[in-house]
Amino acid sequence: MAMSDATGSRWRAQLDLQRLLPLALGTLLLLLGAFCAWQFWLIADEGQAAAQVRQARDEAVQKLAQVVAAQRDTVQKAAMSLDPALLQGDHAALVAALQAKLPQARQVDAYSSNLDEVVHANFREFGYAKAEQLMAAQTADGPPPAQSVVQGLGNRRLSIVLPLGTPVQVWLWVELPFAPVQQAFDAISPAGGRLDLRQGDANTDMRIYSRGSASAETETVAKVVPGSTFSVAAATPVAFIVLPRSWPLAALLALAGLAGGFYLLWLRQSRRGLPIPAQDIDIEEFRQAEEAARKAAPPVPVIPKLAAATPSPVTEPKPAASVDVDPTIFRAYDIRGVVGKSLNADVARLLGQSIGTLMREQGLAEIVVGRDGRLSGPELAGALADGLREAGVDVIDLGAVPTPVVYFATYHYNTGCGVAVTGSHNPPDYNGFKIVVGGQTLSEGAIQDLYRRIAGNALEHGGGGHLRQLDVLPDYLERIVGDVQAERRLKVVVDCGNGIPGAVAPQVLAGIGCEVVPLYCDVDGTFPNHHPDPSDPHNLEDLILAVKQTGADLGVAFDGDGDRLGVVTKEGEIIFPDRLLMLFARDVLSRQPGATIIYDVKCTGHLKGQILEAGGSPLMWRTGHSLIKGKMRETGAELAGEMSGHFFFKERWFGFDDGIYAGARLMEILAGDLEERTPEEIFATLPHGVSTPELKIEMAEGEHYRFMEKFKAEANFEDATIITIDGVRADWPDGWGLVRASNTTPVLVLRFDADTPEALKRIQLAFRKRLIAVDYRLKMPF
C-alpha cells in the first residue's frame, strides 16, 4: 500500500504524542503536587513564624523599658544626692554639680519651674524636640517619657526630663548616650522577620533602627515602650503563598497532584513495548510510509577531506550588535529618549552594564536605583538593574521615589553611586537616566564614554551582582523634619502634577509644620491634569486658582521627578526661581558670610548685586544640574540655583538639586520672619524688573546645536557685553537677553530681562533681528 510523506509524518507525530503525553501530564501533576506541598508547609509555618516575631517584639519592649528605667534611675539617684540648697541658688552651680556626678552625660541643663526660658526661646536655636519634651513634662501623668534626639547627622542621644522639688522647683534636662538603648534593641533576634524601633505614638512610622529582613510586612500599630516615646513594631516574614490560607485544602491538592502524577508515570512504564491498537494506527502502512520517505530523500553529498584543513573558529556575536542604540539619547547631563523608539529595555540593560563596568574600574561595588512614576519606569529600572548585576555590581532597589531621594540614598547608604530612572519634566512617552558614580553626577564626556563602551562592547559580563529592596523614604523624611521647621503655620497648596513627588512632598511640608492642601498628588504616569513642568506658566494656572479659592498663604509646584520647584503667591504672582535664589542666598549668607553662590546664565542680572550686598561671592555658570554640581565641588559653593527651578543646598544639606528640600527651606524662611511679614511682603523686598519666562523654539533633533554654532559665529551685539559659556548672552546696563540650545529636548531656549518694558522690547527686537538673519523660517515666541 502506498502512502504520502505527509501522512507518514502525521502518523509519526501521533505515535510520539501518545507515547509522550502520559510522561508530560505525570510530570506536570508531580510538579503541581510538590508546589502544593510546599504551600502547605508555608501556610502551616506562617502562624508559628508570626508568633515568634511578636514574641521577639514583646521581649524588645520589655528590655528597652528596663534600659530606659535604669537610665532614669541613674539620673534620679545623682540628683537626689545633691545639696538641696542648690535648688534655690544659681542653676549653673546645680548643673555643674550634677555633671560631676554624671560624667557620661553629654549635656545637662536646668530650667525654672514655670519653664519661662523655654516658652520665650527661639525654638530654631533651642531645639523643637527639646522644647516639646520639656513643656509636655508639665502635664505628664507620672515621670516624663524619655525620647531620642538627633545632634547632627545620625548622632543620637537619649534625653530625660526630671522634676526636682515638691512642688517642682527646677526641671532638669539630661542628654545621655543612646548606645545602651541601641545595644538592648540589637540583642533581640527578630526570628526571621523584622523589628522596627520607632519614635512617636503607636501609629507613627518614624523608624529609628531596624533589625531583620527589609522585605517583611510591618504591623500597622506598634507596641509602646513604657516610660518613653519609643515603640517597637513587628514585621512578619513574607511567604510566597498563592493558595487560599487553608492548610487542609493545600494538603488535599498536594496529595491529589502527587498521586495523579505517580499513577500516570506508572501507567506509561507498564505500557512500554505494547503494540498500538490497530484501530489507531496501521503498523504496515506506517512502515511503508517510512520507506517511501527514505527513498524520496535526496542523497547526502560526500565532501572530500582536505589535507591541510583547519576548523573555522566560531565567534559568538557581540550582544551590543543586536541592539540598536541611538547615540542622540546620550545628552549633556543625562540620558533621555522616547520609550519604544530610542529607548527600551534592551538599551537600559546595556546602559546598566556600561555603568557597572565604569564602577568596577573605579573599585565601586554597590549602587542605588530608583524610578519616577512613569508607566515605563518599572520595566526600564528592572532592565537597568539586570545590566548592573551582569557587570558584577550589587543593586539596592529603592522603588518609586523622587530623584532627590535617589541622591540622598547614595549618601545614606554610603554607595556614592545611584541612577534615577526618570523623564523629569518631559512628556509621558519620554524616560531617561540621571547617573551618579563615585559621588559625581555624570555629564558631557563621561556620558559619551558610556555610549562608547556600549558601541565597542567593552562591557563586563557574568558578574552575578545581588539585588535587595530598601525603603529609604522614612529616613529622608526624618532627616529633613529633624532639621527644618516652620515657626508659623503656613497654609500651602502643593501641586505635584501627578508626578512622583506626590508620594513625598506633602508629608515633608506637613512634617515641618505647614498646613498642606494637596493638588494632583496622586501619582499617575499619564499626567492627566497638566504637564509636570513648573517652569511653564500655563502649568501653574490650576495652582494659582487653588491658592485663591482656599485662601492659602502660597502655592508650590514640583516637576515630574521632584528636583525642581515653582512658587506662586496668593495674589497669583509667579515668583521666578532667580528671585527665590536671592532669598535663599540671603539666608545662607547670614550663617556663611563670604560663601560662593552659583547661578546659571538664564538668571536675572539683579542676582549678582543681591549676592554681593549680602556678603557673598557670585559666580555665573552653565545651565545643567550635572554641570552646576560639578562647579560646586570645584569651588566649594554653599548654594546654587538655576532659572529652571533647580536649587542646590550644600549648607545643612548635601549639595544636590532637591525641589522638595528647597520647598521646606522656603517655608522655614517665610515662617521664621521676625517681623511676621506675609510671603508677599517678603518677596516684595527682592528686586523685580520686567522679564519673560523661558521661551522655546522647537527644532528637529540635533538642529538646535547646529543653529547655535552658526548664531555664535554670525551674531554681533556691538553695544553689549557678550557671555558665551552657555549659548549667547548679551548684557546691557538696563537688561539682557539669552539664546541657548537645550540639552534635554531639541529646542532653543530664550529669556529676556530688563529694568523697564521699553528696555525689554528693545532687547527682544535686537535678538529677533539676529535670529532671523541666521534662519528666517524660525517661529518666534515673542
Side-chain angles (χ1 to χ4, degrees):
M1 178 186 288
M3 287 184 66
S4 67
D5 291 346
T7 302
S9 299
R10 184 176 69 252
W11 281 3
R12 283 194 300 275
Q14 183 179 354
L15 180 60
D16 290 341
L17 180 61
Q18 291 197 25
R19 288 172 176 169
L20 293 176
L21 188 58
L23 175 62
L25 289 177
T27 302
L28 179 60
L29 284 174
L30 283 176
L31 290 174
L32 287 175
F35 176 76
C36 291
W38 177 55
Q39 290 285 290
F40 164 76
W41 180 81
L42 289 179
I43 293 170
D45 184 65
E46 185 180 45
Q48 182 180 359
Q52 289 176 342
V53 177
R54 284 193 290 271
Q55 182 179 355
R57 176 203 62 194
D58 295 343
E59 183 181 355
V61 168
Q62 181 181 2
K63 294 288 187 184
L64 292 175
Q66 292 172 355
V67 170
V68 171
Q71 295 292 310
R72 185 185 301 281
D73 287 345
T74 300
V75 176
Q76 181 81 45
K77 289 177 181 177
M80 295 301 293
S81 67
L82 296 175
D83 184 354
L86 291 174
L87 300 183
Q88 307 295 331
D90 184 11
H91 284 177
L94 173 64
V95 168
L98 186 59
Q99 185 77 66
K101 293 180 177 294
L102 294 172
Q104 74 274 27
R106 303 303 175 90
Q107 184 175 343
V108 177
D109 291 320
Y111 301 99
S112 60
S113 59
N114 55 10
L115 293 178
D116 278 348
E117 309 97 313
V118 180
V119 173
H120 300 292
N122 183 335
F123 288 172
R124 186 187 301 177
E125 298 177 358
F126 187 85
Y128 291 92
K130 180 178 178 181
E132 182 182 2
Q133 185 181 13
L134 282 163
M135 289 189 286
Q138 290 182 309
T139 58
D141 184 12
Q147 68 179 32
S148 166
V149 296
V150 178
Q151 299 292 342
L153 182 57
N155 189 10
R156 292 198 170 274
R157 304 281 190 267
L158 179 70
S159 60
I160 292 175
V161 174
L162 190 68
L164 296 183
T166 306
V168 177
Q169 295 174 281
V170 176
W171 289 97
L172 286 179
W173 189 83
V174 182
E175 200 175 74
L176 299 170
F178 198 73
V181 177
Q182 183 179 354
Q183 290 167 2
F185 182 72
D186 289 343
I188 306 300
S189 171
R194 188 180 77 246
L195 296 178
D196 292 340
L197 176 59
R198 303 176 179 178
Q199 176 158 289
D201 59 42
N203 298 303
T204 303
D205 190 22
M206 191 66 73
R207 284 185 292 176
I208 299 176
Y209 293 111
S210 292
R211 268 183 62 78
S213 171
S215 62
E217 295 180 348
T218 308
E219 290 179 334
T220 304
V221 179
K223 192 167 185 179
V224 175
V225 177
S228 74
T229 60
F230 304 135
S231 60
V232 180
T236 56
V238 177
F240 183 73
I241 298 176
V242 297
L243 295 179
R245 280 175 162 77
S246 168
W247 67 263
L249 176 62
L252 180 62
L253 292 175
L255 289 173
L258 293 173
F262 281 121
Y263 172 75
L264 286 175
L265 293 179
W266 172 83
L267 186 63
R268 176 180 182 274
Q269 182 68 22
S270 65
R271 289 188 174 184
R272 290 185 65 177
L274 295 181
I276 304 298
Q279 64 267 29
D280 291 336
I281 294 180
D282 189 316
I283 298 298
E284 185 60 32
E285 286 187 357
F286 180 78
R287 288 174 177 167
Q288 291 179 9
E290 290 275 53
E291 181 66 19
R294 185 186 65 78
K295 291 180 179 180
V300 178
V302 178
I303 302 176
K305 184 177 181 181
L306 299 178
T310 57
S312 300
V314 178
T315 304
E316 294 185 4
K318 294 181 178 181
S322 62
V323 179
D324 184 18
V325 180
D326 184 355
T328 64
I329 68 175
F330 293 79
R331 302 174 183 268
Y333 35 84
D334 55 23
I335 297 169
R336 199 168 300 179
V338 178
V339 177
K341 295 182 180 179
S342 57
L343 193 59
N344 56 35
D346 291 332
V347 174
R349 187 174 295 105
L350 288 173
L351 177 62
Q353 279 186 264
S354 185
I355 296 170
T357 302
L358 174 63
M359 290 176 58
R360 293 287 297 276
E361 291 174 0
Q362 298 184 16
L364 302 169
E366 192 171 39
I367 191 169
V368 296
V369 174
R371 54 182 168 82
D372 66 15
R374 293 168 188 268
L375 303 184
S376 58
E379 180 184 19
L380 294 180
L384 177 83
D386 290 343
L388 288 162
R389 296 168 64 197
E390 177 70 14
V393 172
D394 293 336
V395 178
I396 298 175
D397 178 15
L398 304 175
V401 295
T403 292
V405 176
V406 175
Y407 296 152
F408 172 81
T410 66
Y411 290 90
H412 189 68
Y413 296 128
N414 198 31
T415 66
C417 302
V419 180
V421 181
T422 174
S424 188
H425 59 284
N426 290 102
D429 55 341
Y430 275 76
N431 215 324
F433 309 87
K434 296 180 179 179
I435 307 163
V436 179
V437 174
Q440 299 187 16
T441 305
L442 301 191
S443 63
E444 297 185 316
I447 288 181
Q448 293 302 317
D449 179 62
L450 293 178
Y451 172 71
R452 285 191 291 270
R453 293 172 187 272
I454 295 173
N457 195 25
L459 306 173
E460 292 278 353
H461 295 275
H466 299 293
L467 175 69
R468 55 181 175 143
Q469 287 84 29
L470 293 177
D471 181 8
V472 74
L473 285 177
D475 300 307
Y476 174 81
L477 178 63
E478 181 182 7
R479 177 64 175 83
I480 297 178
V481 172
D483 178 63
V484 181
Q485 285 293 321
E487 293 189 4
R488 285 186 291 145
R489 189 169 179 80
L490 296 177
K491 185 176 182 179
V492 55
V493 179
V494 179
D495 182 359
C496 295
N498 298 112
I500 193 62
V504 183
Q507 298 179 56
V508 169
L509 295 180
I512 68 170
C514 295
E515 179 185 350
V516 173
V517 180
L519 177 66
Y520 308 143
C521 289
D522 295 332
V523 180
D524 186 338
T526 65
F527 309 130
N529 293 291
H530 65 71
H531 205 49
D533 181 2
S535 68
D536 185 343
H538 294 297
N539 297 326
L540 299 175
E541 292 173 355
D542 289 357
L543 177 60
I544 292 172
L545 181 61
V547 171
K548 292 180 178 179
Q549 287 181 338
T550 60
D553 294 295
L554 77 164
V556 295
F558 303 99
D559 70 335
D561 67 332
D563 58 9
R564 300 198 297 164
L565 171 69
V567 177
V568 302
T569 69
K570 66 191 313 178
E571 304 295 332
E573 179 187 7
I574 298 173
I575 307 299
F576 288 125
D578 50 1
R579 295 184 70 211
L580 285 177
L581 187 57
M582 296 177 192
L583 197 60
F584 289 142
R586 290 178 185 175
D587 180 60
V588 170
L589 290 169
S590 69
R591 294 179 295 274
Q592 302 289 336
T596 298
I597 310 295
I598 299 176
Y599 55 96
D600 76 328
V601 295
K602 295 184 291 184
C603 289
T604 175
H606 294 292
L607 184 54
K608 178 179 180 180
Q610 286 290 300
I611 295 172
L612 289 171
E613 185 179 323
S617 176
L619 175 61
M620 181 187 293
W621 194 238
R622 299 167 59 191
T623 294
H625 67 96
S626 301
L627 309 179
I628 293 286
K629 281 178 276 194
K631 199 65 174 176
M632 289 184 74
R633 286 193 303 272
E634 176 187 331
T635 61
E638 293 289 342
L639 174 69
E642 292 183 286
M643 184 60 195
S644 58
H646 290 264
F647 295 99
F648 312 75
F649 286 87
K650 182 68 172 64
E651 192 247 4
R652 294 167 55 191
W653 198 232
F654 299 93
F656 54 75
D657 42 332
D658 188 340
I660 299 171
Y661 178 76
R665 289 287 290 263
L666 176 63
M667 298 305 135
E668 181 182 60
I669 293 171
L670 298 178
D673 184 68
L674 296 178
E675 301 176 21
E676 295 193 358
R677 293 173 293 182
T678 66
E680 287 83 2
E681 291 172 333
I682 296 174
F683 292 137
T685 65
L686 307 173
H688 187 22
V690 183
S691 62
T692 68
E694 291 187 5
L695 306 174
K696 299 176 182 178
I697 300 177
E698 295 185 0
M699 291 188 165
E701 186 67 58
E703 183 183 350
H704 57 318
Y705 293 120
R706 293 187 290 272
F707 178 91
M708 281 307 305
E709 290 177 2
K710 192 173 182 181
F711 186 81
K712 281 184 180 180
E714 298 182 7
N716 183 21
F717 299 90
E718 299 88 352
D719 53 344
T721 300
I722 305 300
I723 301 172
T724 58
I725 58 173
D726 189 359
V728 175
R729 171 168 168 155
D731 277 67
W732 287 270
D734 57 352
W736 57 273
L738 168 74
V739 57
R740 59 177 292 274
S742 169
N743 286 311
T744 57
T745 51
V747 299
L748 293 176
V749 179
L750 303 95
R751 189 170 188 242
F752 304 97
D753 182 274
D755 294 339
T756 64
E758 294 76 19
L760 184 70
K761 185 177 295 185
R762 187 193 78 244
I763 295 170
Q764 286 181 311
L765 180 60
F767 268 82
R768 174 187 285 271
K769 289 179 179 178
R770 288 159 179 81
L771 289 167
I772 292 178
V774 176
D775 187 347
Y776 68 89
R777 298 167 300 176
L778 291 180
K779 296 180 180 179
M780 295 295 178
F782 61 93

